Amino acid sequence: MTAKMAISLTVNGEEVETLVATRTTLADFLRQDLQLTGTHTGCEMGACGACLVLVDDHPVHACLMFAVQAEGAVVETVEGLTTRRAIADLQSAFHERNALQCGFCTPGMLVSAYGILAAGALPSREEIRDALSGNYCRCTGYEAIVDAIEQTARLRHEQEEQA
Ligand code: FES
Ligand code: FES
């Protein structure tokens, strides 16, 4: 019999209280139990970044964490960031710059990019590349992704200066 535990956490602003199998990863819990399929699973060993979500505001590989370890945490997925329009400008820039092809890596890229931009500074291309070093994309060649993040960072910076 699979052991289950009660957990209570916040996911995308909603309180979730449920029973979950102790061996279920946070990625599988989000995808299968909560139908938040924007969190993708690729390598399932912490190498590709497709499963990145925010846990207490830090990007975390959801494939490397058990759901029970998220007890009491505040989890935000790409769906949550989208709903509260925290990445609307980034998503437009990805679209404009053709920064996705198959889109498999895109949720993880957006979560990473959110983290880079949330730091508030104006990152160099080198810093953006560095921050994306844990995100694997097999389609775009990264140039357009870096362009989109750089463009968003610049626009946000200009808007802040004018405010
Ligand atoms: S699925 Fe988690 S890092 Fe690849
Ligand atoms: S757009 Fe296909 S893996 Fe990145």
Side-chain angles (χ1 to χ4, degrees):
M1 202 176 74
T2 310
K4 291 197 169 189
M5 270 181 72
I7 55 166
S8 159
L9 67 164
T10 304
V11 180
N12 296 338
E14 308 263 327
E15 298 289 318
V16 177
E17 285 186 29
T18 189
L19 281 177
V20 65
T22 49
R23 65 181 183 194
T24 300
T25 64
L26 179 60
D28 286 344
F29 173 68
L30 293 168
R31 290 179 55 80
Q32 291 163 17
D33 296 29
L34 303 186
Q35 279 78 54
L36 292 168
T37 53
T39 300
H40 290 168
T41 51
C43 66
E44 299 192 61
M45 52 188 279
C48 75
C51 65
L52 281 174
V53 297
L54 297 171
V55 176
D56 294 333
D57 235 15
H58 298 291
V60 164
H61 292 105
C63 71
L64 293 184
M65 183 171 175
F66 290 116
V68 293
Q69 292 176 294
E71 166 65 26
V74 174
V75 176
E76 192 163 34
T77 68
V78 72
E79 289 94 339
L81 290 173
T82 301
T83 303
R84 69 177 175 92
R85 298 190 58 76
I87 51 171
D89 51 356
L90 256 177
Q91 288 167 313
S92 299
F94 267 59
H95 187 251
E96 257 173 54
R97 296 287 187 145
N98 289 322
L100 67 153
Q101 289 180 35
C102 77
F104 188 82
C105 69
T106 310
M109 290 289 180
L110 289 170
V111 171
S112 271
Y114 172 84
I116 303 165
L117 298 179
L122 196 54
S124 66
R125 288 182 75 80
E126 214 40 52
E127 287 167 332
I128 294 171
R129 284 187 178 282
D130 219 47
L132 294 181
S133 61
N135 290 84
Y136 183 67
C137 177
R138 58 200 158 173
C139 306
T140 65
Y142 296 92
E143 210 53 27
I145 295 171
V146 176
D147 288 347
I149 296 170
E150 186 184 36
Q151 173 182 313
T152 308
R154 213 180 306 117
L155 281 174
R156 284 191 188 185
H157 194 69
E158 282 168 17
Q159 282 162 4
E160 269 166 30
E161 285 203 327
Q162 285 163 12

